[in-house]
């Protein structure tokens, strides 16, 4: 079993006890690794209804078997936990060079249990693993924490840490690793609750590959698949994810002013060339994650301000969603979100909801501490993000936990303005323009997430994916169309989280599942085909749904906010369209073999997956 | 040090710091991915997004070869690369002799040995995998 390091680091933060153990072979066989490994731990070891902010919550950092190899984008670490934002499973996936370093140090996963009484950080230098005091780091922002740690222990260490937002238990808090983020669901707040400020790792060991020659051959195939997709290897490779802004807007998929509209009329200033070419104000440099061909990750500076990564979702959230069309405001909002460590998607969406609440008169200057929170006010937008990151003032505290938790505090009338599913803010695709995205946002096990899967590529933009049996174009406006294809795409996206590569290698149907299966086989020596990979992902999704079910989640929680069912899309191709959510859910549950009301796999589906034991525990 | 002409060329402005070159180099030569056993080394400077690339210049005067006590560093007749032969004893004399620190002492197996770019015996894998043409041939 090459590729895997066959070593899990167990860190009990309460007793400060650190142990090492081999990988659970059943987990690898059933769930492959990565996100699947973390979810299996939650299912087996955590009381299923445990509060996210309790010592019982288990926080794990999980690499995949391909992490650390030269497979394109084999950088990924899946952070798994129970989410304080949604109360569902939490699974946030990050790039950077952290995951590869963890593998070189000799570990597949780090599993944190319990809660420390005082702030600590985990120090890993190959075999040496220590919990060290972090009182001197507590209160520092993400960049300060990283710099201070590197000064103390060496610049070659790779650091994952939280900022002040995580310390103050903001439910939007993320984990920062060199301007990459385990962003969604409040992983940073779980670290903060556990008083775990950072993890620092250095590794000089090896990741072994079972069949080097086969790997090198299939890796060239994978690279060729990436480089022959014109959109991926052209604009996205050039500008990064902001290359999506223009196309998404043209197809009527751009959330605008809290989804009041689906096309932003002032997009031109936000087109990525206007950022890159504005050399008087901005410097943009490439800064790729480990082994990444695509290199979407960029580092932006604006004068003295180290803005950091500006990507599609961030620009869309702070830009069109808030009616803002100037890069300096968006850059400042991103800067604050990065420093204090909050998810930019949810942060932008929350400001957007706050703006609508302000315009509708449901909150006033008292709640915003004097900010004129009108759509289009970029300065106010960035300032609210700053205050949210630090929980500063009435508004900063009110919105620090995201829009859903804010509207709950404001009152029932406000609830319709939270564009969330399960409490997580919908990311930058308007579901009225893509039936598959209605389902993806609705049924995502971690709340409205754009990566479970991003399927607008297929039904919105018209891509085919023969290796996943998608040979005909799909209708983005037909909620009654079979969604068997969507099940396959979702499973393939989840495969990337298990195996340790980035979704951006499959999002435009680039890397074929057959190629990925060949790479997995070559690295691990475990003969696997694409159907088996998809089957493992199907199991992980089933286990996630089972865990959510035990926490009370049902069909009703898989619905989009009412706006999408009652307010038609304003313009662009989907103009006039609303979502028929019940029909869409029926088609998807059918495709997956789920019970229509319970929204979990049926007994037969569980048994087909070899998960009868999980079904029996649902009772 | 008189740099050779036929070698892996670097373009610092194009490099994105992904280190795919490091990974594939180690894999090609040692059958494992190991950050300490690569003939090409990418380092980020203090300015995020600026990277340096270190790789053997296949020198004409071969300062590394001139200090090798067992004559294990020789010009390869096929590739023209300055190659370290299997007779390397891992004594470490060549490592400081390289003015640009392109030689690493590695220990993937039990044996310590010197390692650097040998042009992969003809077609450098790092050049093939580099997504930015930051390494070229």
């Amino acid at each position: 079993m090459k590729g895997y390091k066959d070593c899990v680091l167990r860190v009990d933060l309460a007793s400060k006890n650190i142990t090492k153990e081999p990988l659970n072979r059943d987990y690898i066989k059933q769930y492959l690794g990565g996100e699947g490994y973390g979810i299996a731990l939650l299912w087996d070891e955590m009381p299923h209804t445990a509060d996210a902010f309790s010592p019982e919550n288990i926080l794990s950092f999980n690499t995949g078997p391909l992490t650390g190899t030269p497979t394109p984008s084999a950088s990924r670490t899946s952070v798994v936990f129970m989410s304080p934002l949604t109360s569902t499973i939490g699974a946030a996936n990050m790039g950077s060079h952290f995951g590869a370093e963890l593998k070189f140090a000799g570990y597949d996963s780090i599993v944190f249990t319990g809660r420390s009484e005082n702030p600590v950080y985990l120090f890993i230098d190959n075999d040496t693993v220590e919990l060290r005091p972090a009182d001197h780091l507590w209160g520092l922002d993400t960049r300060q924490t990283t710099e201070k740690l590197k000064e103390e222990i060496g610049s070659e260490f790779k650091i994952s840490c939280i900022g002040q937002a995580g310390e103050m238990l903001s439910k939007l808090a993320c984990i920062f690793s060199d301007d990459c983020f385990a962003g969604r669901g409040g992983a940073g707040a779980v670290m903060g609750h556990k008083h775990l400020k950072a993890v620092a790792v250095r590794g000089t060991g090896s990741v072994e590959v079972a069949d080097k020659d086969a790997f090198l051959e299939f890796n060239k195939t994978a690279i060729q698949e990436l480089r022959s997709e014109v959109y991926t290897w052209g604009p996205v490779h050039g500008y990064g994810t902001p290359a999506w802004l223009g196309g998404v807007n043209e197809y009527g998929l751009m959330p605008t002013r809290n989804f009041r509209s689906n096309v932003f009329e002032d997009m031109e200033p936000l087109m990525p060339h206007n950022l890159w070419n504005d050399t008087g104000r901005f410097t943009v440099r490439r800064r790729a994650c480990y082994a990444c061909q695509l290199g979407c990750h960029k580092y932006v500076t604006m004068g003295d301000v180290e803005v950091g990564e500006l990507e599609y979702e961030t620009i869309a959230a702070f830009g069109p969603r808030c009616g803002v069309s100037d890069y300096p405001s968006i850059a400042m909002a991103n800067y604050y979100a990065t420093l204090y460590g909050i998810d930019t998607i949810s942060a932008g969406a929350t400001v957007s909801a706050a703006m609508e609440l302000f315009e509708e008169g449901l909150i006033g200057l008292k709640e915003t501490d004097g900010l004129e929170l009108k759509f289009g006010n970029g300065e106010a937008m960035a300032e609210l993000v700053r205050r949210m990151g630090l929980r500063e003032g009435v508004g900063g505290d009110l919105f620090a936990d995201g829009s859903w938790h804010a509207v709950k505090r404001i009152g029932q009338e406000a609830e319709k303005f939270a564009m969330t599913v399960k409490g997580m803010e919908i990311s930058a695709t308007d579901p009225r323009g893509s039936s598959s995205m209605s389902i993806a946002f609705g049924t995502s096990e971690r709340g409205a997430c754009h990566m479970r899967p991003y399927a607008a590529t297929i039904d919105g933009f018209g891509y085919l994916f023969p290796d996943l049996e998608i040979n005909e174009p799909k209708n983005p406006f037909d909620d009654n169309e079979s969604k068997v294809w969507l099940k396959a795409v979702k499973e393939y996206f989840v495969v990337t989280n298990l195996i340790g590569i980035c979704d951006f290698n499959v999002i435009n149907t680039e890397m074929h599942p057959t190629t990925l299966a060949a790479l997995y086989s070559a690295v691990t020596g475990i003969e696997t085909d694409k159907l088996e990979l998809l089957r493992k992902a199907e199991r992980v999704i089933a286990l996630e749904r089972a865990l959510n079910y035990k926490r009370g989640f049902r069909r009703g929680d898989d619905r989009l906010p009412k706006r999408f069912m009652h307010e038609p899309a304003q313009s662009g191709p989907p103009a006039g369209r609303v979502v028929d959510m019940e029909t869409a859910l029926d088609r998807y549950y059918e495709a997956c073999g789920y019970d229509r009301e319970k929204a979990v796999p049926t007994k037969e589906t569980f048994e087909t997956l070899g998960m009868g034991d999980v079904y029996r525990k649902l009772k | 040090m008189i740099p050779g002409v036929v070698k892996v060329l670097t373009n610092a402005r194009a490099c994105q710091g992904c280190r795919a070159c490091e990974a594939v180099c180690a894999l090609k030569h040692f059958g494992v991915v190991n950050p300490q056993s690569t003939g090409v080394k990418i380092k980020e400077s203090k300015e995020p997004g600026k990277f340096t690339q270190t790789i053997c210049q296949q020198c004409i005067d071969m300062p590394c070869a001139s200090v090798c006590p067992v004559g294990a560093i020789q010009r390869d007749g096929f590739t023209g690369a300055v190659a370290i032969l299997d007779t390397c004893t891992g004594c470490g004399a060549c490592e400081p002799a390289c003015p640009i620190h392109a030689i690493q002492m590695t220990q993937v197996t039990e044996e310590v040995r010197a390692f650097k770019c040998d042009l992969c015996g003809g077609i450098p894998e790092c050049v093939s995998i580099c997504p930015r043409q930051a390494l070229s041939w």
Side-chain angles (χ1 to χ4, degrees):
Chain A
M1 201 171 73
K2 309 286 188 189
Y4 300 96
K5 294 304 297 180
D6 200 14
C7 188
V8 175
L9 205 49
R10 290 264 187 177
V11 181
D12 184 58
L13 291 161
S15 66
K16 307 283 193 285
N17 193 28
I18 299 172
T19 54
K20 296 170 190 176
E21 66 183 26
L23 283 168
N24 182 320
R25 291 297 194 275
D26 288 339
Y27 291 180
I28 302 303
K29 198 174 152 204
Q30 290 281 83
Y31 309 118
L32 201 144
E35 179 182 319
Y37 203 89
I39 295 291
L41 282 168
L42 288 178
W43 178 260
D44 282 346
E45 297 186 13
M46 186 195 71
H48 292 161
T49 53
D51 192 275
F53 288 147
S54 78
E56 292 172 325
N57 196 356
I58 298 173
L59 171 75
S60 58
F61 289 64
N62 307 281
T63 63
L66 264 51
T67 308
T69 70
T71 308
S73 77
S75 64
R76 308 300 287 191
T77 308
S78 279
V79 183
V80 178
F81 52 99
M82 293 316 298
S83 162
L85 180 67
T86 61
S87 188
T88 62
I89 61 108
N93 192 288
M94 67 180 183
S96 86
H97 292 241
F98 180 88
E101 198 75 16
L102 188 61
K103 291 284 287 279
F104 297 141
Y107 310 101
D108 299 290
S109 296
I110 315 172
V111 181
F112 293 100
T113 50
R115 184 191 191 204
S116 170
E117 282 188 9
N118 54 313
V120 291
Y121 79 92
L122 185 70
F123 172 91
I124 306 172
D125 188 1
N126 291 309
D127 292 338
T128 306
V129 185
E130 297 166 1
L131 275 172
R132 294 183 170 181
D135 302 272
H136 64 303
L137 303 172
W138 207 252
L140 299 184
D141 67 43
T142 54
R143 294 241 167 81
Q144 290 167 335
T145 304
T146 303
E147 275 169 35
K148 183 125 186 102
L149 267 179
K150 288 192 173 189
E151 268 171 33
E152 280 176 28
I153 59 179
S155 62
E156 64 278 26
F157 277 80
K158 308 292 184 233
I159 315 278
S160 289
C161 68
I162 56 169
Q164 294 93 326
E167 296 174 7
M168 290 187 273
L169 308 186
S170 158
K171 290 174 180 170
L172 306 186
C174 58
I175 300 172
F176 167 100
S177 180
D178 278 337
D179 288 84
C180 291
F181 303 89
R184 308 218 72 196
V190 175
M191 270 181 79
H193 181 262
K194 291 188 177 301
H195 286 142
L196 176 66
K197 179 68 175 173
V199 180
V201 59
R202 176 169 66 179
T204 56
S206 302
V207 173
E208 297 183 330
V209 171
D211 186 341
K212 173 184 86 171
D213 294 333
F215 175 85
L216 288 172
E217 182 191 332
F218 290 126
N219 206 40
K220 286 194 169 88
T221 306
I223 289 169
Q224 186 54 34
E225 287 167 357
L226 271 172
R227 294 185 187 177
S228 56
E229 208 301 294
V230 65
Y231 192 57
T232 300
W233 204 244
V236 180
H237 181 58
Y239 290 115
T241 56
W244 262 284
L245 288 162
V248 168
N249 203 39
E250 264 177 43
Y251 277 77
L253 295 164
M254 180 59 74
T256 301
R257 297 183 183 82
N258 204 30
F259 289 98
R260 278 178 173 174
S261 179
N262 58 314
V263 175
F264 188 47
E265 68 288 349
D266 200 13
M267 185 58 87
E268 178 54 28
L270 297 181
M271 294 301 280
H273 53 265
N274 287 325
L275 173 71
W276 284 67
N277 293 338
D278 189 356
T279 52
R281 286 195 291 191
F282 295 103
T283 306
V284 189
R285 293 204 194 96
R286 306 180 70 90
R287 196 189 194 204
C289 300
Y290 181 84
C292 184
Q293 291 281 307
L294 192 57
C296 79
H297 195 244
K298 308 293 187 293
Y299 194 81
V300 179
T301 52
M302 179 172 66
D304 294 337
V305 181
E306 297 199 52
V307 176
E309 161 77 337
L310 268 184
E311 51 91 46
Y312 166 79
E313 287 287 347
T314 302
I315 297 166
F318 293 134
R321 195 152 178 162
C322 294
V324 171
S325 57
D326 73 285
Y327 262 122
S329 295
I330 293 169
M332 287 311 295
N334 184 71
Y335 172 66
Y336 295 134
T338 299
L339 278 193
Y340 308 134
I342 53 175
D343 166 27
T344 57
I345 300 175
S346 282
T350 299
V351 176
S352 159
M355 285 174 156
E356 190 162 19
L357 291 166
F358 187 84
E359 292 200 350
E360 293 286 333
L362 288 164
I363 58 169
L365 291 171
K366 184 171 157 255
E367 286 83 4
T368 67
D369 304 290
L371 288 179
E372 279 285 335
L373 264 188
K374 291 188 172 158
F375 284 117
N377 186 345
E379 280 183 27
M381 180 269 294
E383 176 59 16
L384 182 56
V385 173
R386 189 188 71 77
R387 293 177 191 178
M388 283 161 60
L390 295 171
R391 270 195 196 278
E392 189 180 295
V394 179
D397 182 57
L398 178 60
F399 292 106
D401 294 320
S403 45
W404 178 246
H405 294 276
V407 296
K408 286 276 181 198
R409 283 166 67 179
I410 294 165
Q412 203 174 354
E413 226 184 321
E415 286 187 14
K416 65 181 179 185
F417 298 112
M419 296 297 115
T420 57
V421 180
K422 303 182 183 76
M424 182 187 278
E425 289 75 8
I426 296 174
S427 48
T429 308
D430 192 312
R432 288 167 293 202
S434 162
S435 175
S436 68
M437 290 311 292
S438 308
I439 297 168
F441 287 135
T443 61
S444 160
E445 290 70 26
R446 67 168 185 164
C449 148
H450 55 300
M451 286 301 184
R452 300 179 74 90
Y454 186 80
T457 307
I458 309 282
D459 74 352
F461 302 138
Y463 279 71
L464 304 178
F465 207 167
D467 205 26
L468 279 182
E469 311 297 334
I470 300 171
N471 299 304
E472 304 286 337
K474 305 299 171 191
N475 185 346
F477 307 137
D478 185 359
D479 290 321
N480 199 31
E481 199 176 63
S482 164
K483 292 296 185 293
V484 171
W485 68 272
L486 182 60
K487 170 180 182 282
V489 175
K490 176 163 180 175
E491 285 163 7
Y492 193 38
F493 269 69
V494 171
V495 165
T496 65
N497 297 347
L498 312 183
I499 214 163
I501 69 163
C502 173
D503 291 331
F504 285 138
N505 289 268
V506 305
I507 195 165
N508 288 333
T509 70
E510 303 94 334
M511 199 190 290
H512 299 176
T514 301
T515 309
L516 193 57
L519 284 169
Y520 176 79
S521 302
V523 167
T524 61
I526 304 168
E527 274 306 315
T528 304
D529 61 18
K530 69 175 175 187
L531 294 178
E532 180 54 30
L533 282 188
L534 296 174
R535 179 55 62 98
K536 285 183 163 67
E538 189 179 2
R539 287 194 194 108
V540 173
I541 296 165
L543 194 61
E544 291 174 342
R545 292 199 84 84
L547 197 43
N548 286 349
Y549 179 85
K550 295 276 281 190
R551 295 170 76 85
F553 288 87
R554 301 289 185 273
R555 179 188 180 106
D557 302 294
D558 280 354
R559 292 187 182 116
L560 293 174
K562 290 193 175 115
R563 170 164 276 173
F564 301 103
M565 280 81 98
H566 299 295
E567 296 178 24
Q570 292 293 304
S571 49
R577 185 175 179 271
V578 291
V579 175
D580 179 356
M581 196 72 217
E582 300 312 317
T583 302
L585 285 179
D586 282 345
R587 293 295 84 76
Y588 182 66
Y589 291 164
E590 268 165 29
C592 296
Y594 293 170
D595 182 289
R596 283 188 181 197
E597 294 309 316
K598 294 178 179 168
V600 279
T602 60
K603 181 171 183 248
E604 292 71 32
T605 307
F606 270 123
E607 282 174 353
T608 308
L609 293 170
M611 297 171 73
D613 57 325
V614 174
Y615 176 76
R616 284 187 286 282
K617 285 183 188 159
L618 283 185
K619 298 280 168 62
Chain B
M1 173 188 173
I2 308 169
V5 177
V6 178
K7 61 188 174 187
V8 172
L9 302 167
T10 58
N11 179 356
R13 282 191 66 188
C15 180
Q16 63 177 9
C18 67
R19 297 162 65 211
C21 52
E22 290 185 12
V24 81
C25 177
L27 186 60
K28 169 83 176 173
H29 290 90
F30 298 99
V32 299
V33 185
N34 181 306
Q36 303 288 300
S37 306
T38 69
V40 54
K41 197 75 197 161
I42 308 298
K43 280 196 175 145
E44 189 166 25
S45 72
K46 284 213 161 173
E47 259 184 286
K50 280 195 172 176
F51 302 93
T52 58
Q53 305 76 34
T54 305
I55 190 163
C56 173
Q57 298 297 295
Q58 315 298 347
C59 291
I60 292 164
D61 55 342
M62 300 196 294
C64 52
S66 59
V67 299
C68 179
V70 294
I73 306 182
Q74 295 179 11
R75 180 87 49 193
D76 183 276
F78 180 70
T79 63
V82 178
I84 302 175
L85 308 181
D86 288 343
T87 50
C88 168
T89 60
C91 73
C94 56
E95 188 190 17
C98 175
I100 62 163
H101 310 291
I103 298 178
Q104 290 193 328
M105 302 308 295
T106 72
Q107 190 176 11
V108 171
T109 56
E110 284 188 3
E111 282 180 10
V112 177
R113 54 163 298 178
F115 179 63
K116 66 168 201 67
C117 171
D118 63 357
L119 302 177
C120 288
I123 305 171
E125 289 282 349
C126 58
V127 172
S128 306
I129 205 167
C130 178
R132 297 292 303 154
Q133 299 98 50
L135 303 176
S136 60
W137 175 232

